[in-house]
Amino acid sequence: GESVGLHLPTLSVQEGDNSIINCAYSNSASDYFIWYKQESGKGPQFIIDIRSNMDKRQGQRVTVLLNKTVKHLSLQIAATQPGDSAVYFCAEKGDTDKLIFGTGTRLQVFP
Amino acid sequence: GAVVSQHPSWVICKSGTSVKIECRSLDFQATTMFWYRQFPKQSLMLMATSNEGSKATYEQGVEKDKFLINHASLTLSTLTVTSAHPEDSSFYICSAKTQVTSYEQYFGPGTRLTVT
């Protein structure tokens, strides 16, 4: 359904700290999950993905954790930098090609 | 690789006119393209799925006669907002899939539409 929130949840972290962004997904049959970063006025940028047969995947400075029992996804960013400031969306894919996006979290990094 | 472009990046039009937005896959052939709409401080909402050479599949609540989608080639899809009204003002984003077996979608930079 439509996202009704007009105020994105915001996570404020100090530069150099680790960030954890959480996402609850809706469809227990979803088999693929992606995290996107969106800067103001731009399209989403792929960060990392994970398939449902995994519970953890690591990239460069990022880690995605998947807990299928509680339908929860998290994105961990190590040593957060000012350039990481953006809105982060999780997305899930079910039995079609369609991606369903979460509501998003704004990450603010302060010096 | 896997670059998607959109044109124009922003457009202002008067109420009642139509606007066409192009989505191009620059270095790959897109079997499927998707169109999303994003209102300020909100998430991306899928409007329609477009396969080359066939009619688009629209999501519930999206008027197919108002949002015309054409996917005439494997590298180009267009979205035409007909008889635009101020409430159609939004950020329109397209994405493309590289092949049938691929999960990943590559997103364009978006088009900001403002209807006055």
Side-chain angles (χ1 to χ4, degrees):
Chain A
E2 287 280 337
S3 173
V4 296
L6 293 180
H7 300 282
L8 289 171
T10 298
L11 174 66
S12 296
V13 299
Q14 190 165 23
E15 182 178 357
D17 286 353
N18 298 332
S19 303
I20 299 177
I21 301 172
N22 297 302
C23 175
Y25 64 92
S26 57
N27 186 356
S28 58
S30 292
D31 60 359
Y32 179 62
F33 305 87
I34 315 103
W35 279 101
Y36 289 96
K37 173 185 179 183
Q38 186 179 30
E39 296 175 310
S40 181
K42 297 184 179 179
Q45 175 188 353
F46 173 90
I47 300 174
I48 192 168
D49 59 0
I50 189 169
R51 299 196 180 186
S52 59
N53 61 353
M54 304 172 67
D55 53 20
K56 180 178 180 180
R57 188 158 188 237
Q58 288 184 293
Q60 188 176 11
R61 278 203 309 121
V62 294
T63 301
V64 55
L65 299 177
L66 174 62
N67 186 331
K68 295 182 287 294
T69 302
V70 294
K71 294 190 287 186
H72 183 268
L73 198 65
S74 70
L75 175 69
Q76 301 178 1
I77 304 174
T80 313
Q81 302 168 2
D84 295 326
S85 296
V87 178
Y88 290 80
F89 292 98
C90 67
E92 60 182 298
K93 190 195 83 66
D95 56 359
T96 68
D97 285 338
K98 296 191 289 188
L99 291 179
I100 306 299
F101 280 78
T103 53
T105 297
R106 181 178 303 282
L107 176 64
Q108 294 180 333
V109 183
F110 56 93
Chain B
V3 177
V4 176
S5 71
Q6 285 184 237
H7 178 80
S9 56
W10 61 270
V11 57
I12 302 173
C13 72
K14 293 185 176 181
S15 185
T17 63
S18 296
V19 175
K20 180 185 286 189
I21 302 170
E22 293 184 349
C23 176
R24 293 183 185 271
S25 56
L26 298 185
D27 50 3
F28 66 96
Q29 293 186 328
T31 55
T32 306
M33 287 184 169
F34 304 86
W35 285 97
Y36 296 83
R37 179 168 52 183
Q38 185 178 31
F39 293 107
K41 298 184 179 180
Q42 294 192 27
S43 188
L44 283 76
M45 297 301 298
L46 181 65
M47 299 175 67
T49 302
S50 169
N51 291 295
E52 185 263 341
S54 61
K55 290 184 178 180
T57 301
Y58 290 81
E59 294 300 298
Q60 190 173 5
V62 177
E63 300 175 60
K64 62 180 181 181
D65 294 331
K66 180 172 182 61
F67 299 99
L68 302 179
I69 292 173
N70 183 282
H71 193 163
S73 77
L74 284 171
T75 59
L76 174 65
S77 177
T78 60
L79 168 68
T80 302
V81 182
T82 63
S83 186
H85 289 94
E87 58 265 30
D88 298 324
S89 299
S90 188
F91 194 50
Y92 291 87
I93 306 170
C94 72
S95 70
K97 276 180 74 231
T98 56
Q99 53 187 307
V100 174
T101 56
S102 171
Y103 284 177
E104 192 169 347
Q105 294 181 24
Y106 298 94
F107 283 83
T111 297
R112 172 75 58 194
L113 170 63
T114 302
V115 184
T116 60

